[in-house]
Structure formats: C-alpha cells, structure tokens
Amino acid sequence: MLQILENFSLKNFNTFGIDASARYFVEINHEDELVELFMDPQWLQMPRLILGGGSNMLFVKDFDGLVIRINIRGIEHRINHQEVFIEAGAGEVWNDLVNFCVARDYAGIENLSLIPGSVGASPIQNIGAYGVELKDVFRSCRAFEIATGEFKTFSKEDCQFGYRDSIFKNELKEKLIIVSVKFQLSLIPNINLKYGAIEQELANRNISSPTIKEVSQVVSHIRVSKLPDPSTIGNAGSFFKNPVIADEQFHEVQSKFPEVVHYPAGDGLVKLAAGWLIEQCGWKGKVVGHTGTWKNQALVLVNHGGATGEEVYSLSSQIIDSVYTKFGIVLDREVNIIS
Ligand code: FAD
Ligand code: EPU
C-alpha cells in the first residue's frame, strides 16, 4: 500500500539544504507502484515533481503538488565477450553504480566518479565530467509514461543527448518517470585522460599507465579539492552551464579579454568556462547573506546555512546580470529551478 505523506519537509531531500516542503510526498520502491499511484486520477491532475537525489534542484518555494521520490533499486550485469551490459534501477545512487563497476574492472564510467544523485536522473541532463558524458555508455532507458500509464523504452538516438541536455528536458519534460537505465561498458579499458587535471594528478602520483581504479581515485581527488561537499555546505554543483557561443562572438570577447578560458566545441562554436567569467566579475568566494559562490569554484553557488531558495535565485540573477554587462554573454542556469 502506497504511503502518501502530507506537508513533508524536503530539507534532507535536496543537496542545497533548502527548507521547502511538499504538499504531498510519496516514495516509489517498485515500478508497479507507479501504476498503482496513477490509478487515482487526483494525482494526474495535480502538479508533480519527480525527485531523485535532489542534487540538481533549487526550491524557490514550497511545492504545491505531489513529489514522487524514486527509490527503485537493483543492479544486473552480464558479460558477453569483452562487453559488459548493466541495467540499474533509477533509484540506485549513481556513485554506488560507479563503485560497483570500478571494483569489477568494468570500464567506461570511472571518469564520472563521485557525481551525486541517482541513476534515473543521469540521462536527464546527460551527466558529464572529466571528458566523458553519460551518452558515451548509455544504451537505453525504460520509463513510465504518466498520461498513458505505459512503460516505454528510449534508445540513445531517441534521447537526443547534448551538452547537459536531452529530450527529457525538452519535449518530454515532466511527462515520464525513468525506472531503469541500461549501460554498455567494457572489459577493455579505454582510459580517457583528455582533461588536463587528470594527467597532472597522475604525474604527481608517478602513474604512467593508470588502471580504471586509479582514474576513479584521481577524479575523486580532484573533485573533492574543488567542489564543496553537500553534506557540509549546501550546493547543487555547477549552477550555470558553460556558455557555447559562435566563433565570431568568441573573437570579439577574446579581443577584449585575451586570457578568456575556452574550448573548441565543433561546428564553429566555442565553449567558455563560466567559472572564469564569474570570477572575473569579482564573485568568487563572495558571501552574500546566507549564500554566495564557492571559494574554489565560482560556478558553484552555496548555502552557508539558513539560505532560502529566493536568496540563492536572486544571487544567480545578479551574477547573470554582471556577466552580461561585462562580457555580453548570457549565462543559462543548469540547476532545475522549482518555483
Ligand atoms: P534530482 O536533482 O533529483 O533531479 C534532477 C532532474 O531530473 C529534475 O528535473 C527531476 O525531476 C528529474 N528526475 C530525477 N529523477 C528522475 C527520474 N527517475 N525520472 C524522470 N525524471 C527524473 N552533474 C554533472 O553532470 N556533472 C558533474 O560533474 C556534477 N557534479 C556535481 C557536484 C555536486 C557537488 C553536486 C551537488 C551536483 C553535481 N552535478 C553534476 C549535478 C547532479 O549531480 C546531476 O544533475 C545528477 O544527475 C542529479 O541527480 P539527482 O538524482 O539528484 O536528480
Ligand atoms: N575557472 C576559473 N575560476 C573558477 C572556476 C573555473 O577561472 O572559479 C576556469 C579555470 O580555468 C578552469 C576552468 O574554468 O580550468 C574549468 O573549470 P573546471 O575544470 O572546474 O570545470 P567547469 O567547466 O567549471 C565543468 C562541469 C562540471 C564538471 C567539470 C569537470 C559544467 C557546467 N560543469 O565545470 O560539472 O564536473 O567540468 O568535467 O559543465 C555540474 O554539472 O554540476 C558539474 C560540477
């Protein structure tokens, strides 16, 4: 029997640690419970929010609807020659899946070590870090379609993955609940050291041919040195996306700011480091009321304790304005704003 809780505090269910509440809250442990839930038409009519680990959300106010927390567990793995096929429940913790794979020398997601959140949310923004994106290992996902009550499978092509983007953030936004994800990993490591910081850290450790365990350890070490731990300082990782702009606009910016940190993005596009843009505007490490930006990473907005969602949101608007004024570039929020 599903337990629907009323006026439920979400403070421990979002990594920003914002003290918002949900009018109704339900935890789903098995996909059949989704069918059972939506047999009652009142939940079809009400605003809904699907919640995983709450590590990419900012609650600007209380949620006046039903929060559906996905806790569907289970990891299955099968080896065929050198290929490893994994299927994981949407409620599995992403980093537990990474550790499960790294411990067995299943290669492919070691660069995505220590990203917070759930397996089910990983396709939503096509999580990425240190030169690897989810799409590189993703095969398909199974999702419950709320309007029809049917389960559907989405292939990699269906998902239309892009940088921090997928169909689930666009046409299919809030229409589906992902219940499991299938990945294809390999027993033959394809070590990816594209990201300079990894090579640097391996050199510091005198490692020339790293194993996937060593890559995972190095990535974890870099992340811990740069990013605040949500269990002590509330945050949701990068608050904005790195802006991707056309070559012509980039040359204009570069002519005024020759040191602008940038990366080629293909198709006549250039990606800029939003953290650099924000730091240049004087925001890095700044404390504003209960909120601010992180001292080691200006792209991360933090809750120093007791911040409201409005305060964090208002700081993000001030940052957008100042980056626009100085560079003529509009920053896009990466975090999902629940308002
Ligand atoms: P939530 O925050 O709960 O939800 C995020 C979105 O997905 C919401 O729109 C929600 O409705 C939807 N959703 C969640 N579960 C489901 C489901 N089962 N079905 C349908 N929709 C669903 N991200 C990166 O890509 N790379 C990083 O390096 C990275 N580093 C981070 C570091 C820190 C310290 C933190 C706090 C966050 C970081 N993030 C990073 C962001 C975050 O970890 C990812 O976006 C993660 O995938 C969010 O997972 P979650 O389960 O917490 O999702
Ligand atoms: N930089 C600064 N000042 C800062 C922060 C960054 O000048 O305060 C410059 C530095 O030159 C640095 C460069 O920006 O070398 C890039 O910084 P970093 O390596 O920390 O990566 P990022 O571009 O800021 C992105 C992702 C992260 C991901 C890392 C590693 C986005 C929006 N963010 O950050 O993802 O972990 O790369 O791959 O793409 C997240 O999505 O929540 C997240 C943390």
Side-chain angles (χ1 to χ4, degrees), residues 107-312:
I109 51 176
E110 56 281 0
N111 292 45
L112 303 179
S113 295
L114 227 57
I115 297 182
S118 61
V119 164
S122 65
I124 306 289
Q125 70 159 6
N126 178 27
I127 56 169
Y130 298 96
V132 172
E133 285 186 324
L134 181 87
K135 70 171 169 49
D136 302 331
V137 293
F138 178 94
R139 268 181 82 85
S140 65
C141 63
R142 185 172 146 79
F144 176 78
E145 187 176 55
I146 298 171
T148 60
E150 286 172 11
F151 288 92
K152 295 196 164 163
T153 298
F154 293 83
S155 69
K156 187 180 347 201
E157 291 65 38
D158 295 333
C159 294
Q160 298 174 16
F161 289 125
Y163 164 60
R164 296 292 189 275
D165 201 22
S166 75
I167 195 164
F168 308 114
K169 288 181 76 175
N170 297 292
E171 287 102 292
L172 298 180
K173 193 172 162 67
E174 279 152 32
K175 293 191 165 59
L176 297 164
I177 301 176
I178 295 177
V179 295
S180 63
V181 184
K182 283 187 179 169
F183 307 90
Q184 184 170 344
L185 304 192
S186 175
L187 290 178
I188 306 171
N190 179 13
I191 301 288
N192 181 332
L193 306 179
K194 271 187 259 170
Y195 219 86
I198 304 184
E199 274 198 316
Q200 181 61 54
E201 185 55 31
L202 286 167
N204 293 346
R205 297 177 183 209
N206 288 321
I207 299 171
S208 51
S209 330
T211 61
I212 65 162
K213 285 192 185 72
E214 286 165 335
V215 172
S216 172
Q217 283 161 1
V218 162
V219 166
S220 302
H221 173 86
I222 299 168
R223 294 183 67 95
V224 169
S225 69
K226 274 194 197 169
L227 298 168
D229 174 358
S231 66
T232 48
I233 306 262
N235 76 91
S238 302
F239 199 90
F240 304 98
K241 291 186 205 169
N242 284 327
V244 178
I245 60 174
D247 256 340
E248 303 84 71
Q249 189 184 7
F250 168 67
H251 289 306
E252 262 175 53
V253 175
Q254 199 187 32
S255 66
K256 289 194 213 134
F257 304 95
E259 66 290 11
V260 58
V261 179
H262 64 283
Y263 319 92
D267 296 333
L269 299 169
V270 179
K271 191 188 265 186
L272 306 185
W276 185 87
L277 299 171
I278 296 169
E279 180 173 353
Q280 296 305 306
C281 293
W283 289 106
K284 189 168 183 173
K286 209 161 183 174
V287 177
V288 184
H290 303 95
T291 179
T293 68
W294 184 234
K295 58 182 187 321
N296 300 334
Q297 226 310 352
L299 192 47
V300 178
L301 271 54
V302 294
N303 175 1
H304 285 297
T308 61
E310 281 114 323
E311 267 184 283
V312 178

